[in-house]
Amino acid sequence: MTGFDPTSGMPVWFARRALPEGATAIACVLGDAHPYRHVIDTTVSEEPGTVLYRGEYTADGEMTSCVVDPAFQQGGIDLWYVEESEQGADPPATNLLAFATPEWPDGSIVSIDDADARGVDLREQVGALRWWTETGQVHQVYVAAHMRRRRIGSKLTLTGAALTLGRRWPSLWATGELTDMGAVFVSRAPWTSRVAPRSMSHPPMTPTDAWTGIP
C-alpha cells in the first residue's frame, strides 16, 4: 500500500531460547531495549518488558504452541488452533481456526488431520484469522458472535504473527478497509500501527438479524 509503513510505531524484539532436540522458544517483547525485530539469544525464560507471546518451534521452524500474554486473555478463554492452508487460492492464503473445546491445551497448534482424528467438528470454531501468505496482508479476523469481547481476536492475531515468525514468512499487517467493530478492535490493540488508517467502511460480517445477545 503506497505511503503506509506497517513497521513504524510498534517496537518489538525477540528473545530466543534453545530447547531440547533443536527446538526453540521465542518471546516477542514490546519495547525498545533492542533494535526493531532484533533477535537475542538467552538462557532465561523471562524477559524484561511486555511479552506479547511466547512461541515454541521445532528445529525446522514449525510452531507447536503459542502462549499469549495474560493481558490479552480477558475472561480466561483457553484456545487451541487448527491451521488450514489455501495455497491453491488466488492469492494463496492461510487460515488459523480457533477452538475453545478441551481436546488440546491452550496455545496448541494442530493439523486438520489431527483434529479429524479426534472427531473435532470444524464448525465448532469460535474464531478465524485469514491472511495472504505471500504478503502477510490480513484478509479477515472473525469471532463468533456469542464469544465476542473476550479478546479472542487478539489471541488469534498474535498467534498468527507467531506462526509467520517461525516460517520466516512476511509479518502480518492490514489495510484500512474495516467494519465498525473491526475499527474498534484495531484501536485497542498493541499492533495498531500495523493497520493503515481507515480508508473504507465494510458492512458487519454478522447479519443484523443475528445481533441478539451480542455485547
Side-chain angles (χ1 to χ4, degrees):
M1 182 174 178
T2 303
F4 172 59
D5 178 11
T7 67
S8 64
M10 184 186 175
V12 294
W13 54 275
F14 302 102
R16 180 174 57 198
R17 180 167 53 93
L19 298 177
E21 299 181 0
T24 57
I26 301 179
C28 177
V29 186
L30 182 64
D32 56 6
H34 297 279
Y36 175 70
R37 298 189 69 83
H38 185 70
V39 180
I40 66 165
D41 288 307
T42 180
T43 58
V44 300
S45 58
E46 298 295 329
E47 297 78 25
T50 300
V51 176
L52 299 181
Y53 62 78
R54 301 175 190 275
E56 293 194 2
Y57 305 84
T58 64
D60 58 1
E62 292 301 309
M63 188 167 72
T64 56
S65 70
C66 177
V67 176
V68 174
D69 186 271
F72 302 100
Q73 298 191 49
Q74 179 178 331
I77 302 299
D78 287 348
L79 299 175
W80 57 270
Y81 309 90
V82 171
E83 180 186 356
E84 181 182 38
S85 175
E86 288 186 69
Q87 297 312 298
D90 184 18
T94 298
N95 295 279
L96 201 58
L97 314 179
F99 295 82
T101 53
E103 282 83 359
W104 278 276
D106 181 55
S108 300
I109 315 294
V110 305
S111 67
I112 287 182
D113 289 344
D114 288 339
D116 285 343
R118 290 206 184 182
V120 173
D121 185 345
L122 295 184
R123 292 173 296 184
E124 293 182 356
Q125 63 184 269
V126 296
L129 170 69
R130 186 175 192 266
W131 71 94
W132 311 133
T133 313
E134 295 176 351
T135 64
Q137 180 182 341
V138 173
H139 174 228
Q140 176 180 295
V141 181
Y142 182 76
V143 176
H146 68 287
M147 296 294 283
R148 291 177 186 165
R149 300 296 187 268
R150 305 180 79 169
R151 308 305 294 270
I152 288 174
S154 297
K155 289 189 70 171
L156 255 173
T157 304
L158 290 172
T159 302
L163 181 69
T164 65
L165 177 68
R167 295 182 181 168
R168 298 183 179 181
W169 287 357
S171 300
L172 299 182
W173 63 280
T175 68
E177 300 178 15
L178 304 167
T179 64
D180 288 343
M181 293 185 71
V184 173
F185 166 65
V186 169
S187 70
R188 297 174 177 174
W191 57 84
T192 299
S193 64
R194 297 197 66 83
V195 181
R198 193 174 189 184
S199 59
M200 183 179 295
S201 179
H202 283 291
M205 297 176 68
T206 301
T208 54
D209 60 0
W211 283 9
T212 302
I214 297 178

